[in-house]
Amino acid sequence: MKTVAIVGASANRSKFGNKAVRAFVHRGYHVVPINPREAQVEGLTAYPSVLGVPGPVDLVSLYVPPAVGLRVLDEIAQKGVPEVWINPGAESADLLGRARALALKTKVACSILSIGESPSAY
């Protein structure tokens, strides 16, 4: 089972960071919410940083503004995460350039759609 960290996971069910948590759980992923202001999201323990997640993380999905995403890329690289999905609204030229500089494999796409789910289902 792959472990996915959702950076920008939210307890607010109308936000895409929450919809992604539910969609990835539905698809059988081990989901780790990342949000420094939440203790839990959808009953899952939330972590303030990807660096605090015990064990390896296979994939990070970014649901944060580009400036926030830019700040967490170094942590993602330090954790050794092999792949980062950058969702609509999270991308910027600076963020993509920094990801390239850190040799992070990136995919710019809606991660919910990429796993075969529809955001409107959540």
Side-chain angles (χ1 to χ4, degrees):
M1 177 182 343
K2 281 190 173 186
T3 298
V4 59
I6 308 292
V7 175
S10 172
N12 181 337
R13 295 190 112 211
S14 69
K15 293 197 171 201
F16 282 92
N18 180 283
K19 293 172 186 260
V21 169
R22 291 183 281 145
F24 275 94
V25 166
H26 184 254
R27 284 295 175 164
Y29 286 80
H30 174 246
V31 178
V32 182
I34 306 296
N35 186 318
R37 292 177 299 281
E38 301 282 356
Q40 287 191 337
V41 173
E42 296 296 317
L44 302 170
T45 300
Y47 294 85
S49 164
V50 74
L51 290 175
V53 176
V57 174
D58 300 300
L59 167 66
V60 166
S61 184
L62 293 179
Y63 280 95
V64 292
V68 175
L70 193 56
R71 289 196 305 266
V72 300
L73 284 179
D74 287 322
E75 294 176 359
I76 293 167
Q78 186 179 346
K79 180 74 175 171
V81 179
E83 191 169 5
V84 179
W85 290 1
I86 303 163
N87 291 277
E91 79 281 3
S92 74
D94 289 342
L95 183 132
L96 295 171
R98 182 67 183 146
R100 274 191 300 277
L102 292 168
L104 293 171
K105 180 181 174 189
T106 60
K107 178 177 182 177
V108 180
C110 174
S111 64
I112 299 170
L113 292 173
S114 292
I115 61 169
E117 295 288 325
S118 171
S120 64
Y122 298 94

